[in-house]
């Protein structure tokens, strides 16, 4: 049903931005959680570069699964890992999320409450609240990235993955492709030049594809390619 509804919204170009959502005249206080999640997914798909929308989509997913409205609410309900995972998508660093001045924001987390729930996870607690024993510089102790949290706790080398992301300070950049900070894709010129397999398409390929006109054009072009006087040969054929 949800998939059908999504196709319906796509077909009629509905719920693509806040203006079109308001035209649907939905009462947000009466909407099921899955409807809000569907709308947030559509807004994020249209604006994948906006951190605020990405966070709201993550929060809406947590609300659908565990029924909490803010990160702090999730911690108080005992969903510590899901709350922290949601916090990773906040549009501000963790150090900003802990400030009392942001208490009205959905990503705000009370520092004392977070320290209390992290007692069961001392490594994570030390990463988020570095003590003097960690010997971190003032700049390093300001915040911690998702990649630093993954380092040493997952069975793969974070420095060899996600190299194109500028925020991955652990990445070992080896060549121009990684220095470009562009998401790798099959049409990327640097990757094509280095790894692509070049094949010359002949008339047989187009015949297999059911394209006889392209096959004829390719066949004629191949025959005339090595001809010293192609015009004369064409006249003769006609």
């Amino acid at each position: 049903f949800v998939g059908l509804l999504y196709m319906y919204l796509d077909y009629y170009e509905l719920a693509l931005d806040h203006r079109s959502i308001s035209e649907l005249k939905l009462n947000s206080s009466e909407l099921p959680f899955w409807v809000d999640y569907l709308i947030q997914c559509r807004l994020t798909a249209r604006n994948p570069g906006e951190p605020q929308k990405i966070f709201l989509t993550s929060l809406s997913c947590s609300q659908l699964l565990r029924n909490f409205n803010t990160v702090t609410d999730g911690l108080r309900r005992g969903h510590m890992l899901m709350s922290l995972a949601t916090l990773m998508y906040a549009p501000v660093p963790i150090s900003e999320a802990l400030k009392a001045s942001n208490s009205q924001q959905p990503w705000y987390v009370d520092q004392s409450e977070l320290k209390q729930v992290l007692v069961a996870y001392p490594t994570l607690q030390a990463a988020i609240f570095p003590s003097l024993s960690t010997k971190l510089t003032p700049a390093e102790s300001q915040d911690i990235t998702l990649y630093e949290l993954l380092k040493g706790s997952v069975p793969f080398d974070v420095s060899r993955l996600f190299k194109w992301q500028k925020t991955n300070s652990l990445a070992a950049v080896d060549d121009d492709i990684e220095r470009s900070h562009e998401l790798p894709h099959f049409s990327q010129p640097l990757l094509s030049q280095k790894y692509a397999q070049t094949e010359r398409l002949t008339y047989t390929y187009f015949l297999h594809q059911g394209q006889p006109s392209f096959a004829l054009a390719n066949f004629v072009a191949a025959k005339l390619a090595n001809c010293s006087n192609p015009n004369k040969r064409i006249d003769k054929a006609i």
Side-chain angles (χ1 to χ4, degrees):
F1 171 74
V2 176
L4 181 61
L5 176 59
Y6 204 96
M7 292 176 63
Y8 177 87
L9 294 174
D10 272 343
Y11 184 81
Y12 290 102
E13 298 183 349
L14 300 174
L16 298 177
D17 50 36
H18 290 288
R19 182 188 59 80
S20 60
I21 291 174
S22 63
E23 291 175 351
L24 296 176
K25 298 180 179 180
L26 301 173
N27 188 343
S28 58
S29 61
E30 299 179 357
L31 289 178
F33 292 147
W34 66 267
V35 175
D36 179 69
Y37 179 56
L38 175 65
I39 292 175
Q40 294 298 340
C41 285
R42 291 183 65 77
L43 291 176
T44 302
R46 297 281 294 186
N47 303 277
E50 294 190 22
Q52 172 77 3
K53 287 185 171 57
I54 296 174
F55 170 76
L56 291 177
T57 302
S58 177
L59 183 62
S60 181
C61 178
S62 301
Q63 186 181 43
L64 175 64
L65 297 175
R66 291 292 184 264
N67 192 24
F68 61 83
N69 299 318
T70 65
V71 175
T72 298
D73 185 32
L75 289 176
R76 291 172 179 172
R77 290 172 180 264
H79 307 302
M80 196 274 293
L81 292 179
M82 179 172 286
S83 298
L84 286 180
T86 303
L87 184 60
M88 291 295 101
Y89 292 98
V92 296
I94 293 180
S95 57
E96 288 292 321
L98 295 173
K99 291 183 178 180
S101 58
N102 292 321
S103 59
Q104 300 303 315
Q105 300 294 342
W107 59 77
Y108 169 72
V109 181
D110 182 82
Q111 185 167 323
S112 59
E113 290 187 23
L114 184 58
K115 284 184 177 180
Q116 184 177 356
V117 298
L118 287 178
V119 171
Y121 302 89
T123 303
L124 190 56
Q125 185 184 52
I128 297 178
F129 300 104
S131 62
L132 295 177
S133 60
T134 58
K135 298 181 180 180
L136 294 178
T137 65
E140 292 173 325
S141 62
Q142 290 299 312
D143 192 29
I144 186 169
T145 66
L146 178 61
Y147 307 102
E148 291 170 321
L149 289 175
L150 288 174
K151 183 181 179 182
S153 59
V154 290
F156 51 81
D157 187 358
V158 179
S159 67
R160 308 299 303 176
L161 300 173
F162 313 108
K163 295 184 179 182
W164 55 274
Q165 294 189 341
K166 294 181 180 180
T167 53
N168 187 5
S169 58
L170 303 177
V173 180
D174 301 324
D175 53 35
D176 293 336
I177 297 174
E178 293 158 358
R179 292 189 188 95
S180 67
H181 294 299
E182 181 182 359
L183 175 64
H185 52 84
F186 290 108
S187 300
Q188 194 171 10
L190 290 173
L191 285 176
S192 299
Q193 294 170 10
K194 189 172 182 179
Y195 299 110
Q197 179 180 351
T198 304
E199 291 188 9
R200 183 173 177 272
L201 301 180
T202 65
Y203 69 94
T204 56
Y205 167 82
F206 294 106
L207 287 175
H208 281 295
Q209 295 297 316
Q211 298 175 315
S213 58
F214 283 96
L216 176 62
N218 185 276
F219 178 80
V220 173
K223 291 297 182 181
L224 297 177
N226 299 322
C227 182
S228 59
N229 193 345
N231 290 333
K232 182 178 179 180
R233 191 165 183 178
I234 292 174
D235 293 339
K236 183 178 179 180
I238 295 175

